[in-house]
Amino acid sequence: MKNYAITYTLNESKLQSYGISTEEAHEKVKAIFKAKNFSPLHKNGKFYISNNFNVSPMRTAFNIVDELKELEWFKKSVQGFAMMEVDSISDFTDDFK
């Protein structure tokens, strides 16, 4: 089965204008992704992989978008938000340690 991933970027200066730190923003976004069965690929977030193969990934993505659109600071600071189909993932992080 294929994995689906969602990635996003935020404008940090716009976040700060809402009084939200980058870390706080990513923690709030992470909670939304987690509730929809997406896990961060790395500790810093921004790239999430689906853990649920029984639900339509496109429907789940739209649900995530709808929930994030309710957060004014997210709407105003998001620079990119994309979903992709992932055939395989090779994580080389440990090779740098």
Side-chain angles (χ1 to χ4, degrees), residues 65-82:
V65 168
D66 286 342
E67 201 164 331
L68 290 170
K69 282 170 47 178
E70 293 177 16
L71 304 172
E72 190 67 23
W73 58 265
F74 190 90
K75 285 192 325 186
K76 299 294 184 184
S77 64
V78 68
Q79 291 180 308
F81 191 94

mmCIF file of all heavy atoms in Angstrom, residues 65-82:
data_model
loop_
_atom_site.group_PDB
_atom_site.id
_atom_site.type_symbol
_atom_site.label_atom_id
_atom_site.label_comp_id
_atom_site.label_asym_id
_atom_site.label_seq_id
_atom_site.Cartn_x
_atom_site.Cartn_y
_atom_site.Cartn_z
ATOM 1 N N VAL A 65 -7.533 20.360 6.077
ATOM 2 C CA VAL A 65 -7.576 21.729 5.555
ATOM 3 C C VAL A 65 -8.727 22.505 6.192
ATOM 4 O O VAL A 65 -8.541 23.644 6.642
ATOM 5 C CB VAL A 65 -7.701 21.735 4.007
ATOM 6 C CG1 VAL A 65 -8.045 23.121 3.487
ATOM 7 C CG2 VAL A 65 -6.414 21.234 3.376
ATOM 8 N N ASP A 66 -9.892 21.896 6.256
ATOM 9 C CA ASP A 66 -11.053 22.578 6.858
ATOM 10 C C ASP A 66 -10.777 22.960 8.310
ATOM 11 O O ASP A 66 -11.123 24.059 8.747
ATOM 12 C CB ASP A 66 -12.303 21.699 6.777
ATOM 13 C CG ASP A 66 -12.872 21.626 5.375
ATOM 14 O OD1 ASP A 66 -12.534 22.486 4.537
ATOM 15 O OD2 ASP A 66 -13.666 20.691 5.125
ATOM 16 N N GLU A 67 -10.138 22.058 9.033
ATOM 17 C CA GLU A 67 -9.853 22.340 10.446
ATOM 18 C C GLU A 67 -8.799 23.441 10.581
ATOM 19 O O GLU A 67 -8.917 24.335 11.423
ATOM 20 C CB GLU A 67 -9.387 21.061 11.138
ATOM 21 C CG GLU A 67 -9.547 21.120 12.623
ATOM 22 C CD GLU A 67 -9.468 19.757 13.284
ATOM 23 O OE1 GLU A 67 -9.827 18.734 12.657
ATOM 24 O OE2 GLU A 67 -9.047 19.725 14.451
ATOM 25 N N LEU A 68 -7.775 23.395 9.745
ATOM 26 C CA LEU A 68 -6.729 24.419 9.798
ATOM 27 C C LEU A 68 -7.241 25.788 9.356
ATOM 28 O O LEU A 68 -6.776 26.814 9.847
ATOM 29 C CB LEU A 68 -5.526 23.996 8.953
ATOM 30 C CG LEU A 68 -4.704 22.834 9.511
ATOM 31 C CD1 LEU A 68 -3.693 22.350 8.479
ATOM 32 C CD2 LEU A 68 -4.023 23.226 10.812
ATOM 33 N N LYS A 69 -8.207 25.802 8.447
ATOM 34 C CA LYS A 69 -8.776 27.074 7.978
ATOM 35 C C LYS A 69 -9.512 27.807 9.098
ATOM 36 O O LYS A 69 -9.702 29.018 9.021
ATOM 37 C CB LYS A 69 -9.711 26.841 6.798
ATOM 38 C CG LYS A 69 -8.953 26.616 5.500
ATOM 39 C CD LYS A 69 -9.793 26.141 4.339
ATOM 40 C CE LYS A 69 -11.062 26.845 4.082
ATOM 41 N NZ LYS A 69 -11.766 26.332 2.895
ATOM 42 N N GLU A 70 -9.883 27.096 10.138
ATOM 43 C CA GLU A 70 -10.547 27.721 11.277
ATOM 44 C C GLU A 70 -9.567 28.512 12.139
ATOM 45 O O GLU A 70 -9.979 29.330 12.968
ATOM 46 C CB GLU A 70 -11.256 26.663 12.126
ATOM 47 C CG GLU A 70 -12.417 26.010 11.408
ATOM 48 C CD GLU A 70 -13.067 24.904 12.231
ATOM 49 O OE1 GLU A 70 -12.827 24.844 13.452
ATOM 50 O OE2 GLU A 70 -13.799 24.094 11.637
ATOM 51 N N LEU A 71 -8.279 28.260 11.961
ATOM 52 C CA LEU A 71 -7.241 28.967 12.709
ATOM 53 C C LEU A 71 -6.786 30.173 11.890
ATOM 54 O O LEU A 71 -6.092 30.022 10.888
ATOM 55 C CB LEU A 71 -6.058 28.039 12.993
ATOM 56 C CG LEU A 71 -6.372 26.748 13.735
ATOM 57 C CD1 LEU A 71 -5.146 25.849 13.775
ATOM 58 C CD2 LEU A 71 -6.870 27.054 15.137
ATOM 59 N N GLU A 72 -7.168 31.353 12.313
ATOM 60 C CA GLU A 72 -6.857 32.572 11.556
ATOM 61 C C GLU A 72 -5.360 32.723 11.330
ATOM 62 O O GLU A 72 -4.909 33.074 10.238
ATOM 63 C CB GLU A 72 -7.427 33.795 12.286
ATOM 64 C CG GLU A 72 -7.360 35.073 11.478
ATOM 65 C CD GLU A 72 -8.254 35.069 10.240
ATOM 66 O OE1 GLU A 72 -9.241 34.318 10.191
ATOM 67 O OE2 GLU A 72 -7.942 35.829 9.307
ATOM 68 N N TRP A 73 -4.569 32.464 12.361
ATOM 69 C CA TRP A 73 -3.119 32.600 12.232
ATOM 70 C C TRP A 73 -2.551 31.633 11.197
ATOM 71 O O TRP A 73 -1.583 31.951 10.520
ATOM 72 C CB TRP A 73 -2.418 32.430 13.584
ATOM 73 C CG TRP A 73 -2.689 31.119 14.280
ATOM 74 C CD1 TRP A 73 -3.636 30.877 15.225
ATOM 75 C CD2 TRP A 73 -2.010 29.880 14.064
ATOM 76 N NE1 TRP A 73 -3.585 29.564 15.626
ATOM 77 C CE2 TRP A 73 -2.589 28.920 14.926
ATOM 78 C CE3 TRP A 73 -0.969 29.478 13.248
ATOM 79 C CZ2 TRP A 73 -2.166 27.605 14.988
ATOM 80 C CZ3 TRP A 73 -0.546 28.163 13.290
ATOM 81 C CH2 TRP A 73 -1.142 27.241 14.151
ATOM 82 N N PHE A 74 -3.151 30.440 11.076
ATOM 83 C CA PHE A 74 -2.660 29.484 10.080
ATOM 84 C C PHE A 74 -2.999 29.977 8.676
ATOM 85 O O PHE A 74 -2.147 29.994 7.791
ATOM 86 C CB PHE A 74 -3.242 28.083 10.311
ATOM 87 C CG PHE A 74 -2.584 27.038 9.451
ATOM 88 C CD1 PHE A 74 -1.467 26.362 9.903
ATOM 89 C CD2 PHE A 74 -3.061 26.755 8.182
ATOM 90 C CE1 PHE A 74 -0.834 25.416 9.099
ATOM 91 C CE2 PHE A 74 -2.449 25.815 7.379
ATOM 92 C CZ PHE A 74 -1.324 25.140 7.837
ATOM 93 N N LYS A 75 -4.241 30.403 8.487
ATOM 94 C CA LYS A 75 -4.657 30.902 7.161
ATOM 95 C C LYS A 75 -3.768 32.039 6.682
ATOM 96 O O LYS A 75 -3.415 32.107 5.515
ATOM 97 C CB LYS A 75 -6.111 31.395 7.194
ATOM 98 C CG LYS A 75 -7.124 30.309 7.224
ATOM 99 C CD LYS A 75 -8.536 30.760 6.973
ATOM 100 C CE LYS A 75 -8.935 32.103 7.483
ATOM 101 N NZ LYS A 75 -10.352 32.403 7.328
ATOM 102 N N LYS A 76 -3.416 32.931 7.597
ATOM 103 C CA LYS A 76 -2.647 34.120 7.220
ATOM 104 C C LYS A 76 -1.148 33.856 7.097
ATOM 105 O O LYS A 76 -0.441 34.645 6.481
ATOM 106 C CB LYS A 76 -2.875 35.243 8.236
ATOM 107 C CG LYS A 76 -4.315 35.680 8.335
ATOM 108 C CD LYS A 76 -4.804 36.320 7.064
ATOM 109 C CE LYS A 76 -6.225 36.826 7.255
ATOM 110 N NZ LYS A 76 -6.796 37.367 6.060
ATOM 111 N N SER A 77 -0.664 32.757 7.671
ATOM 112 C CA SER A 77 0.778 32.516 7.639
ATOM 113 C C SER A 77 1.201 31.336 6.766
ATOM 114 O O SER A 77 2.393 31.164 6.509
ATOM 115 C CB SER A 77 1.310 32.309 9.063
ATOM 116 O OG SER A 77 0.746 31.156 9.639
ATOM 117 N N VAL A 78 0.251 30.541 6.288
ATOM 118 C CA VAL A 78 0.632 29.385 5.473
ATOM 119 C C VAL A 78 1.189 29.860 4.122
ATOM 120 O O VAL A 78 0.622 30.721 3.468
ATOM 121 C CB VAL A 78 -0.543 28.391 5.283
ATOM 122 C CG1 VAL A 78 -1.659 28.968 4.425
ATOM 123 C CG2 VAL A 78 -0.053 27.078 4.688
ATOM 124 N N GLN A 79 2.345 29.319 3.765
ATOM 125 C CA GLN A 79 2.977 29.658 2.488
ATOM 126 C C GLN A 79 2.839 28.524 1.479
ATOM 127 O O GLN A 79 2.875 28.767 0.281
ATOM 128 C CB GLN A 79 4.459 29.963 2.697
ATOM 129 C CG GLN A 79 4.688 31.236 3.463
ATOM 130 C CD GLN A 79 6.162 31.509 3.648
ATOM 131 O OE1 GLN A 79 6.910 30.653 4.108
ATOM 132 N NE2 GLN A 79 6.569 32.706 3.300
ATOM 133 N N GLY A 80 2.713 27.320 1.981
ATOM 134 C CA GLY A 80 2.565 26.174 1.101
ATOM 135 C C GLY A 80 1.913 25.029 1.852
ATOM 136 O O GLY A 80 2.149 24.858 3.053
ATOM 137 N N PHE A 81 1.087 24.260 1.155
ATOM 138 C CA PHE A 81 0.407 23.117 1.758
ATOM 139 C C PHE A 81 0.140 22.138 0.620
ATOM 140 O O PHE A 81 -0.592 22.455 -0.314
ATOM 141 C CB PHE A 81 -0.909 23.570 2.401
ATOM 142 C CG PHE A 81 -1.543 22.529 3.273
ATOM 143 C CD1 PHE A 81 -1.303 22.519 4.644
ATOM 144 C CD2 PHE A 81 -2.378 21.561 2.741
ATOM 145 C CE1 PHE A 81 -1.887 21.558 5.463
ATOM 146 C CE2 PHE A 81 -2.960 20.604 3.546
ATOM 147 C CZ PHE A 81 -2.717 20.608 4.913
ATOM 148 N N ALA A 82 0.765 20.974 0.684
ATOM 149 C CA ALA A 82 0.644 20.031 -0.425
ATOM 150 C C ALA A 82 0.530 18.601 0.080
ATOM 151 O O ALA A 82 1.071 18.251 1.136
ATOM 152 C CB ALA A 82 1.859 20.141 -1.337
#
